[in-house]
Amino acid sequence: MYNPTVARLTYRALLGRRRALILFLLPALLVLIAAAVRAFNGADDQVAADVLGGFALATMVPLIGVIAGTGAIGPEIDDGSIVYLLSKPVKRSSIIFTKLIVAIAVTMVFSAVPTFIAGFVLNGNGQQVAVAYTVAALVASIAYSALFLLLGTVSRHAVVIGLVYALVWETLFGSLISGAKTLSVQQWSLALAEKVTGDGLIDSEVGLTTATVLLVAVTVVATWFAGHKLRTLTLAGEE
């Protein structure tokens, strides 16, 4: 299912100069904020949880997911170069799976790693806060990558739609409106973070079992539908 050639091309596209600059900027900003908070406020478990939850998980992770997920396939569809890839003897499911793995890897590296570093800077991983939010960032990276990869296959405006979802739904509605919280990747990942800390520092509106089922279901369905869309695109091109 994993194709090294497709993976290499996708990594090259994602880590190009412009995208790499954005990918590095957000983690650097998180670590800078963490250092400033620690310098002015000292080590505080609740403050650490607030910073990691408010910026890292609610803003940085979905934004990096948008860049990696849509960038893994969207530009190729937009400029038509995907036709060259589809003409090769590579299964369409293999193309999608490989691009998903690359998007997940990039999102994890640029979100989970800086989250872990920022957590240690903030409070030295007191109450397992750094580990908890790192776990949340890891699982959220998988779901976001699948969702935004799907967006990249179905819409030419995937980046705009992804940004609206990340900034409006996840950051605003997903944090403030009870009903929206149940349908939020952020809240699902927080359920796992809450399990790691287990002392009330982190709260999720979704139970652990429900969150796990929804994370798996969204990832699987989004990946399957992206593969289905790519097969449909192939048939349309052949016609």
Side-chain angles (χ1 to χ4, degrees):
M1 291 293 291
Y2 182 83
N3 188 291
T5 301
V6 175
R8 185 173 63 253
L9 293 173
T10 307
Y11 275 119
R12 186 180 302 172
L14 284 179
L15 300 178
R17 184 176 301 176
R18 186 171 59 181
R19 283 196 179 89
L21 179 62
I22 300 174
L23 287 172
F24 278 105
L25 181 62
L26 288 169
L29 182 58
L30 171 63
V31 175
L32 181 62
I33 291 173
V37 171
R38 177 63 183 267
F40 288 105
N41 196 70
D44 185 293
D45 296 341
Q46 187 59 61
V47 171
D50 292 341
V51 171
L52 295 179
F55 182 80
L57 193 61
T59 303
M60 185 186 73
V61 179
L63 286 179
I64 291 177
V66 170
I67 297 169
T70 61
I73 196 170
E76 291 176 290
I77 293 178
D78 290 343
D79 63 19
S81 61
I82 190 69
V83 175
Y84 173 79
L85 182 58
L86 296 177
S87 67
K88 300 300 179 181
V90 181
K91 291 183 178 180
R92 306 306 177 248
S93 57
S94 178
I95 293 174
I96 288 296
F97 181 77
T98 302
K99 288 181 174 295
L100 175 63
I101 293 300
V102 172
I104 290 173
V106 170
T107 306
M108 284 182 171
V109 168
F110 285 95
S111 60
V113 173
T115 296
F116 186 70
I117 294 172
F120 262 91
V121 171
L122 284 163
N123 73 335
N125 194 38
Q127 302 296 324
Q128 296 292 305
V129 170
V131 171
Y133 276 102
T134 300
V135 170
L138 288 172
V139 297
S141 296
I142 299 172
Y144 283 132
S145 296
L147 280 173
F148 296 132
L149 179 66
L150 170 60
L151 271 181
T153 64
V154 301
S155 174
R156 290 183 177 273
H157 307 289
V159 174
V160 175
I161 298 172
L163 288 174
V164 170
Y165 175 86
L167 296 176
V168 177
W169 183 266
E170 289 282 11
T171 305
L172 184 59
F173 293 144
S175 300
L176 301 176
I177 302 175
S178 297
K181 292 180 179 180
T182 306
L183 300 177
S184 167
V185 174
Q186 176 190 343
Q187 292 297 322
W188 303 342
S189 58
L190 277 175
L192 279 78
E194 183 181 7
K195 180 67 175 179
V196 174
T197 56
D199 64 351
L201 277 176
I202 302 174
D203 293 314
S204 173
E205 295 292 324
V206 184
L208 180 59
T209 301
T210 302
T212 303
V213 171
L214 289 172
L215 282 166
V216 173
V218 165
T219 302
V220 171
V221 172
T223 304
W224 174 85
F225 195 75
H228 174 72
K229 177 63 178 178
L230 196 61
R231 287 192 295 271
T232 303
L233 179 67
T234 304
L235 292 174
E238 292 173 352
E239 291 173 358

